[in-house]
Structure formats: structure tokens, C-alpha cells
Amino acid sequence: MARVGEDDRESAVRRVREAYAEERISHEEMDERLGRVLAATTHGELAAALDPLPAEDPGTTATIAAAGGRIKRRGAWQVPRILKVESAFGRVRLDLSRAVIAYPVVDIELSLGTGNASITVPRDAIVEVEGLATGWKDLRYRPRQPSRPGGPRIRISGALGYGRLRIRHAWR
């Protein structure tokens, strides 16, 4: 039987708290459910603790696409739960350091042909690149320890053809 992971547990805690904030459950029921969620060791126990709650909002999906030219996002922009970036030719620059990240986990799916890509993540972000396939050049990323717990988890997946992906943490 699969053990409950940290992401699953955090998601369950968030769902219980949201149900309380929306006044769908009482304070006592929230306490009882949180105790069951934190004590759960299997997915079955976790599901039982969340049983009558409505499903979590899966978030939004957005696609940024360009056949040629540059794709650039920076400043205070809203990051969707799933961001698909598609570019045949050209450079991609995503700066998430000042972006509004409303979800604890953000998936960035890359589909890039030719051209380099650069992604700047928040200082305390945790970056996962296991689902990424590079064709021509290697990935440049040096993981760092988060400066404080609770930073967003950025999962980067997809494929790069001829180009290099550089991921770095923001200084501030």
C-alpha cells in the first residue's frame, strides 16, 4: 500500500481548512478531520478523512505559445496551476520571482524546439526537473536550500530540442 506523501498531506490539510473557512464544517469537525489527516499513513485513511468534502479545485491551465520570436513574462503576473509553454523558434524567459503564485504546486510544461530558455524562480521555491528531456544541451540548475519553509514547489517537465534551459533562484 502506498504511503502518504508530504504533498498529499499538505493538500488534504488545505482542503479541510478551506471547508472551514467557507463555513461548510464546524470548528470541532475541522479539528477532528485535521487530526485524522495528520495521523493518516495510507491514501485510504487520507481519503476517509476527506470523504464528504468537495473535490479540490484543480486550478487553471494556461498556454503561452509562439511560432517564432520571444516569450517573456516578468513582474507581478498571475501564475496558473499548470503553465504550458510552446515555442518552435525563439527565446523563452519566465521570471516568477515577483509573480503571484496562488498554488502550492505549479507545473510548467515546456515544448521548445530551438532556442534557449531561462526560468527564474522565487528564492524559497523547491524545483523538480525529473520530467524534463533535453535534446541538444544539458540543463543548468543548481538546487539550493529553501530559506524558509512553505515556498512553492515548481515542477518543470516537457522537452527541449536545440537549446539550453537555465533555472536560477531569485536573490530576493
Side-chain angles (χ1 to χ4, degrees), residues 41-70:
T41 57
T42 65
H43 287 284
E45 292 171 353
L46 196 61
L50 300 176
D51 191 27
L53 294 179
E56 183 179 24
D57 178 15
T60 57
T61 300
T63 302
I64 304 172
R70 294 181 183 170

Side-chain angles (χ1 to χ4, degrees), residues 58-65 71-73 77-86 92-96 99 103 105-111 119 154-158:
T60 57
T61 300
T63 302
I64 304 172
I71 294 176
K72 189 180 211 180
R73 294 289 184 274
W77 60 288
Q78 182 75 35
V79 179
R81 166 69 184 82
I82 300 170
L83 177 63
K84 296 181 180 185
V85 181
E86 302 170 358
V92 174
R93 287 194 179 175
L94 300 176
D95 185 349
L96 283 68
Y103 302 97
V105 178
V106 172
D107 289 310
I108 299 176
E109 299 174 11
L110 301 174
S111 178
I119 300 175
I154 312 287
R155 297 188 298 207
I156 301 173
S157 62

Side-chain angles (χ1 to χ4, degrees), residues 12-22 25 30 34 53:
V13 166
R14 188 175 57 254
R15 283 182 57 195
V16 171
R17 287 181 177 163
E18 286 173 359
Y20 174 71
E22 294 169 2
I25 60 175
M30 177 189 71
L34 286 175
L53 294 179

